[in-house]
Amino acid sequence: MAVTNFIQTIWSKKIQDDLDLKCKLVDNCLREYEGDCKFARSVKILGVGEPTISAYSGTTPLTYEAMSDKGQTLTIDQQYSFSFLVDDIDKAQSVPGLAEKYQEKAVHGLAVKRDAYVASLIKGITTSGHVTTAANLTREDVKTAIDDAIVALRERNFDEEGVIEITPAVYNLFKNELITLSTNNPEYIKKGIVGMYDDFKVIMSNGLAKDTSGSGTKYAYCDVRGKKAIAFAGQINEVEAGRHQDYFADYIRGLDTFGAKVIDENRIQVVKVPLTYTAPSGS
C-alpha cells in the first residue's frame, strides 16, 4: 500500500526547528543569511570597509573616499542525509507524539554534524594573537586562559554580547567561577547555557573539537566569541516518504545542507586547554 498522506512540509519544518534548538555551537553563529541553501550554492555576506577619521579644522576641505566592498561569500558545501523505516507513516502521523519520536531519530545526528563543522572552524583559527593556551588542566590555569582570552577580545574593541564555549571537562574545573543564571529557563538548559562569567554566557558542549592524533600535548579547542565571528546557513532541503520495495514498511529520508565560515577573526579568541593534566617536573 502506498503512502498517501505524508505531510512533507510539516516534517521538514519540525526537523529544522528541532535542529535549531538542538545545536549549541551553531546557535552562537550569525544566521542572517539562510536564503536558499541548496548544495553548491553560495550566499553573499554583505560588508563595507571602515571610513578614515580625520581631524577637522573648520577650513580644510573634506576629502571623500569610496567605501570598499568587504563582502564575503559563504558556500553551502556540506550535506548529510538520513533515512529510516517506519511500519506505517500514515498511522504514525495520526498518533499524538509518535511522529515527533520518529523525527528525533534524525535530529540528533544532524545536529552533531552541524556543530562539529563549526567546531572545526574554531580549531582552524591559528592567527597570531587569536589563540590563548592554558598552561595545564587545572582550575587556576583554565581561569587564567579564559580571562586572557576575554582581555584579548576587548582589546580588539569587542562590543557585542558574547559567549564562552567550553567542554564538560573544562566546565568541571571552571564551574565554581560562574554566576548562576537568574532563571531556570529550560530553553537555556537545552542550549547548554550553564551560567555567566564576566558578562559572557557560558555554554557547555561536547561538540567542541579535540586533538585525536599526533604526539605531544593534545588539546580541546574552547573559545570566547560573539555571534558575528562565524556565519552559518543551512536548511532541510528534502524530506520525502514512500513504500520500501524490499520491506513491509515505509521509508522516510531527508537531506540537510549547510555551510559556515569565519567572517571576522577579531570577534573570536580560541582557548586551547590540555586534555590531560601534566604533573610539574620534580613533583
Side-chain angles (χ1 to χ4, degrees), residues 66-277:
M67 294 296 285
S68 58
D69 181 3
K70 295 291 185 178
Q72 301 183 57
T73 299
L74 170 59
T75 303
I76 309 303
D77 56 0
Q78 304 294 306
Q79 57 179 349
Y80 292 93
S81 65
F82 62 87
S83 55
F84 54 88
L85 297 175
V86 178
D87 288 341
D88 187 324
I89 293 176
D90 292 341
K91 181 178 179 180
Q93 292 181 146
S94 67
V95 178
L98 187 56
E100 287 77 9
K101 292 295 183 183
Y102 282 117
Q103 290 156 5
E104 288 174 6
K105 293 176 178 287
V107 169
H108 175 73
L110 295 179
V112 169
K113 293 296 185 183
R114 285 185 171 197
D115 270 358
Y117 189 67
V118 172
S120 72
L121 298 180
I122 295 170
K123 180 181 178 181
I125 294 174
T126 58
T127 304
S128 176
H130 289 71
V131 180
T132 302
T133 303
N136 212 333
L137 187 62
T138 65
R139 184 186 67 80
E140 294 80 6
D141 289 340
V142 165
K143 181 182 183 304
T144 297
I146 291 175
D147 286 342
D148 289 348
I150 292 172
V151 170
L153 271 186
R154 288 174 173 164
E155 287 181 342
R156 296 198 290 268
N157 297 318
F158 183 84
D159 60 354
E160 63 186 274
E161 181 179 345
V163 296
I164 301 169
E165 295 172 318
I166 56 178
T167 64
V170 173
Y171 168 71
N172 189 51
L173 293 172
F174 193 59
K175 60 186 177 184
N176 290 336
E177 308 295 333
L178 305 183
I179 297 173
T180 303
L181 293 168
S182 59
T183 175
N184 188 22
N185 189 323
E187 294 305 314
Y188 279 3
I189 295 172
K190 289 179 182 178
K191 291 297 186 183
I193 301 174
V194 292
M196 297 288 296
Y197 182 75
D198 200 1
D199 293 330
F200 287 77
K201 288 179 183 176
V202 180
I203 313 294
M204 180 177 66
S205 171
N206 198 39
L208 290 162
K210 303 178 183 69
D211 289 328
T212 57
S213 61
S215 58
T217 304
K218 293 182 171 57
Y219 294 95
Y221 292 80
C222 305
D223 69 276
V224 183
R225 63 176 168 126
K227 279 185 176 289
K228 297 177 182 178
I230 301 174
F232 180 95
Q235 71 181 42
I236 299 296
N237 278 145
E238 303 286 347
V239 177
E240 58 186 29
R243 192 66 177 173
H244 199 287
Q245 64 180 6
D246 296 324
Y247 299 94
F248 295 107
D250 301 328
Y251 68 77
I252 298 176
R253 60 191 183 193
L255 181 65
D256 181 28
T257 60
F258 62 88
K261 182 178 183 178
V262 177
I263 58 173
D264 191 346
E265 284 195 358
N266 284 330
R267 298 177 188 270
I268 183 169
Q269 187 76 11
V270 178
V271 182
K272 294 172 59 177
V273 180
L275 291 177
T276 57
Y277 172 76

